[in-house]
Amino acid sequence: ALRAKEEENLKEKTSLCETVEAIVYDNLKTFKDWEKKAEEVIGLQKKWRTIGFASRKQNQKIYDRFHTACDEFFKKRNDFFKEIRKDLDENLKQKRALLEKAEELKDSTDWKEATQAIIELQSDWKKVGPTPRRQSDAIWKRFIAACDRFFERKDEAFAGQRNEEKANLDAKNEIVKKIEALDESLSTDEALTT
């Protein structure tokens, strides 16, 4: 009965080994994918502890096999996270460079050039991938504040010009109305004096 139980335990442990060894790492592309799979592996490790021993001859071998498979999974997971952190840090560096340019332009009065430059900075910002969460909000708030400051200043500068343009348009429309209201029977000289 003991040997039968040991044989059953060996089958269960072999099945767990095969499950961990069968993980397709190419399918794990996001944090969420890796975390979900890590939960599964941790669950398998917990299940392992509930299974009794295999035969003395097989017990260490099967343990080493399972331990190696789990170690491989967690090593690949750590490598993935290191690579992602490296990408996040590179993205942060790029966004800091964009932020510096935006802060240089926020007080510019060269409206045409600076407007185009800020619009390009905003477009470039969208193309850069995510940054570390701890710094993401702070750098975004500084970037958007610099952009907003520039456009607010531009709006203030052109507000007076727009009012002047509107007044000119209103005056021109009045002249057009007067011309349209002229009697057609008047001569050119009489129309000009009216």
Side-chain angles (χ1 to χ4, degrees), residues 3-16:
R3 282 195 182 105
K5 182 62 178 159
E6 287 176 344
E7 195 60 36
E8 182 63 32
N9 291 345
L10 180 61
K11 284 181 184 176
E12 282 188 64
K13 288 183 175 188
T14 301
S15 174
L16 294 179

Side-chain angles (χ1 to χ4, degrees), residues 139-167:
I139 196 168
W140 166 248
K141 286 177 183 175
R142 281 182 57 196
F143 179 76
I144 200 67
C147 295
D148 287 349
R149 167 132 170 90
F150 172 78
F151 286 114
E152 287 166 3
R153 289 181 55 255
K154 181 180 175 187
D155 286 346
E156 288 172 9
F158 285 97
Q161 182 178 340
R162 284 192 204 103
N163 290 339
E164 187 178 318
E165 289 171 352
K166 186 175 178 348

Side-chain angles (χ1 to χ4, degrees), residues 45 50-51 66 94 112 118 123 137 143 156 161 164:
Q45 289 174 329
T50 65
I51 301 171
F66 184 70
Q94 289 177 26
K112 185 175 181 179
I118 288 196
S123 175
D137 281 348
F143 179 76
E156 288 172 9
Q161 182 178 340
E164 187 178 318

Side-chain angles (χ1 to χ4, degrees), residues 56-180:
R56 222 179 250 192
K57 182 178 176 186
Q58 294 295 321
N59 201 54
Q60 189 61 45
K61 287 180 187 175
I62 197 69
Y63 172 79
D64 290 343
R65 180 180 173 188
F66 184 70
H67 190 66
T68 300
C70 290
D71 284 352
E72 178 69 12
F73 169 80
F74 286 109
K75 181 190 175 304
K76 287 188 183 276
R77 178 176 169 245
N78 286 339
D79 291 345
F80 172 81
F81 286 148
K82 283 179 188 173
E83 191 62 33
I84 291 295
R85 280 188 209 102
K86 191 167 70 172
D87 291 346
L88 293 175
D89 289 342
E90 179 57 35
N91 292 344
L92 180 62
K93 191 185 301 183
Q94 289 177 26
K95 285 187 175 183
R96 280 187 177 142
L98 295 172
L99 169 63
E100 288 174 16
K101 290 176 185 174
E103 287 181 335
E104 288 172 12
L105 292 170
K106 73 180 180 184
D107 293 321
S108 175
T109 55
D110 183 357
W111 304 119
K112 185 175 181 179
E113 292 285 325
T115 298
Q116 187 59 38
I118 288 196
I119 289 171
E120 286 176 22
L121 290 174
Q122 290 173 331
S123 175
D124 292 345
W125 184 279
K126 291 177 186 175
K127 293 175 189 170
V128 176
T131 57
R133 284 187 185 161
R134 291 186 313 273
Q135 292 134 333
S136 184
D137 281 348
I139 196 168
W140 166 248
K141 286 177 183 175
R142 281 182 57 196
F143 179 76
I144 200 67
C147 295
D148 287 349
R149 167 132 170 90
F150 172 78
F151 286 114
E152 287 166 3
R153 289 181 55 255
K154 181 180 175 187
D155 286 346
E156 288 172 9
F158 285 97
Q161 182 178 340
R162 284 192 204 103
N163 290 339
E164 187 178 318
E165 289 171 352
K166 186 175 178 348
N168 287 342
L169 180 63
D170 290 344
K172 289 176 183 178
N173 284 335
E174 283 300 315
I175 292 171
V176 169
K177 285 181 186 175
K178 285 182 182 179
I179 291 173
E180 289 174 345

Side-chain angles (χ1 to χ4, degrees), residues 8-37:
E8 182 63 32
N9 291 345
L10 180 61
K11 284 181 184 176
E12 282 188 64
K13 288 183 175 188
T14 301
S15 174
L16 294 179
C17 290
E18 290 168 351
T19 302
V20 177
E21 291 166 347
I23 293 172
V24 180
Y25 294 104
D26 291 339
N27 293 344
L28 306 174
K29 299 184 187 318
T30 65
F31 280 113
K32 202 175 204 176
D33 293 341
W34 279 97
E35 287 306 309
K36 184 177 177 186
K37 192 57 74 174

